[in-house]
Each structure stands twice: as structure tokens, then as C-alpha cells.
């Protein structure tokens, strides 16, 4: 009836593994450290995937708003196209070439592929990470570290300036912009 009722008092307890692991890790602390390290990378990569998706949506909606605003400067449409192409290039590095993969052709592993391979192949295991897991981490971390500043520059710089130009030109409102209004 919408009331919270305590069923008992809190108790502390210790947990121990059952000891049924086929290949248990020699150092569980190192295993946990690798899992936490991978979790931090996965969090950042998945956040970047969502950031790319949101930026693509903003550009799609801005393109539609420009179509409804014939008085908008022509250069604005060209800038939207240029930013969109750069964003597609960034997305390909992050998530892979969907066009080639869609034709069942082999593609180079993307940053996201490498991180997901570590997660799906290791997190459900009690054994130490394999050299392949560690190598995938090293490659993904290095590529992502070089890639992320390019995304930050595009989203926080170029896209932000593009949206400001659209607002100044009186283009219909799109997400990511705070409208200017004076009575």
C-alpha cells in the first residue's frame, strides 16, 4: 500500500568464490584492475558513440531547418555538409565501416569492436585476461586517445559554431541551440 516495511536488520557477510573456475586467475587483484580499466574505456567509448549519434541527429535536423529557411546563407548548407562528412569519418573509425560490413566483406576492427571483444570475451570469465584481450585494450586505448580530441573539436567547436550561425541567421530552432528572442 505504498509503505516501506523493514523485513529485517542489515547484516554483513563475506563472500568467497566457489572454487569451480577451470582456469582461475593467479592474481584476482590484477584481474579486477584489468576489468575496471576496461570498464572505464568502455564507458568513454560508448559515450562517444552516443555523442556521434546525437551530433548526426542535430545535423540532420539542421539540414531540414535550412530547407525551410530559403533566406539562410548558402554557405551554411555547405558547412553542414562538410561537418557531416567529418563526423561520418569519425564514426567509421569509432564503429567500423557499415557499408563494407553490410556486404559481408571483412573490415578492420574498429575501436568499439575491440572494446566489445574484451568485454564479451573476458568479463564473464574468472581467468586472467589473455594476451589478445590486453593487446585489444592497448590498441583501442591508443586509437581512442588519438581519436577523441577530433570528436571534441568537431562537437564542441565546429558544430557549436555552426549552430550559433544558424541561430544568428534566424533558421528555425533545432536541438542543441538556445533560441535568441527579443520582444
Amino acid at each position: 500500500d505504498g509503505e516501506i516495511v523493514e523485513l529485517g536488520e542489515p547484516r554483513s557477510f563475506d563472500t568467497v568464490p566457489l572454487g569451480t573456475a577451470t582456469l582461475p586467475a593467479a592474481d584476482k587483484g590484477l584481474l579486477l584492475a584489468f576489468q575496471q580499466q576496461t570498464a572505464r574505456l568502455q564507458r568513454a567509448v560508448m559515450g562517444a558513440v552516443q555523442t556521434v549519434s546525437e551530433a548526426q541527429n542535430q545535423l540532420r535536423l539542421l539540414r531540414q531547418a535550412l530547407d525551410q529557411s530559403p533566406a539562410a546563407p548558402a554557405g551554411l548548407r555547405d558547412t553542414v555538409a562538410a561537418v557531416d562528412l567529418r563526423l561520418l569519418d569519425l564514426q567509421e573509425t569509432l564503429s567500423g565501416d557499415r557499408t563494407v560490413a553490410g556486404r559481408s566483406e571483412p573490415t578492420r576492427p574498429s575501436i568499439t569492436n575491440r572494446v566489445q571483444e574484451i568485454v564479451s570475451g573476458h568479463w564473464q570469465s574468472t581467468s586472467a585476461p589473455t594476451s589478445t584481450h590486453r593487446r585489444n585494450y592497448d590498441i583501442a586505448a591508443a586509437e581512442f586517445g588519438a581519436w577523441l580530441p577530433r570528436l571534441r573539436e568537431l562537437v564542441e567547436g565546429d558544430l557549436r559554431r555552426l549552430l550559433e550561425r544558424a541561430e544568428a541567421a534566424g533558421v528555425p530552432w533545432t536541438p542543441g541551440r538556445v533560441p535568441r528572442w527579443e520582444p
Side-chain angles (χ1 to χ4, degrees):
D1 295 330
E3 291 183 37
I4 297 176
V5 178
E6 274 192 43
L7 299 176
E9 294 185 24
R11 297 181 189 251
S12 62
F13 56 91
D14 293 323
T15 61
V16 293
L18 293 173
T20 60
T22 306
L23 299 169
D27 186 336
K28 289 182 179 44
L30 287 176
L31 170 64
L32 177 62
F34 183 74
Q35 290 170 335
Q36 290 172 333
Q37 181 182 31
T38 305
R40 287 191 304 274
L41 179 59
Q42 184 194 37
R43 174 194 165 276
V45 168
M46 293 298 100
V49 167
Q50 187 61 37
T51 300
V52 167
S53 177
E54 289 173 6
Q56 287 175 324
N57 188 51
Q58 285 180 323
L59 288 170
R60 180 182 59 80
L61 293 171
L62 183 56
R63 193 175 293 110
Q64 289 175 354
L66 285 169
D67 289 344
Q68 298 171 9
S69 184
L76 208 50
R77 286 177 178 78
D78 296 338
T79 305
V80 169
V83 170
D84 195 29
L85 284 175
R86 286 181 46 218
L87 192 57
L88 285 171
D89 286 342
L90 286 172
Q91 180 188 30
E92 184 176 310
T93 303
L94 182 63
S95 300
D97 190 332
R98 294 179 188 176
T99 303
V100 173
R103 289 174 173 73
S104 298
E105 293 294 325
T107 60
R108 181 183 183 282
S110 68
I111 296 168
T112 305
N113 293 136
R114 290 186 186 279
V115 172
Q116 293 307 95
E117 283 296 320
I118 299 167
V119 170
S120 66
H122 182 258
W123 282 11
Q124 305 303 318
S125 173
T126 56
S127 62
T130 66
S131 58
T132 302
H133 291 136
R134 291 188 183 281
R135 182 81 178 123
N136 268 339
Y137 178 86
D138 292 342
I139 294 169
E143 288 181 0
F144 187 67
W147 178 90
L148 187 57
R150 293 172 52 209
L151 177 65
R152 188 175 306 284
E153 176 188 327
L154 189 141
V155 171
E156 294 175 354
D158 299 337
L159 181 57
R160 178 71 35 224
R161 286 188 293 277
L162 177 60
L163 294 174
E164 288 170 0
R165 285 180 57 202
E167 185 62 32
V171 173
W173 181 87
T174 56
R177 295 170 33 205
V178 176
R180 293 182 187 154
W181 179 80
E182 292 181 24

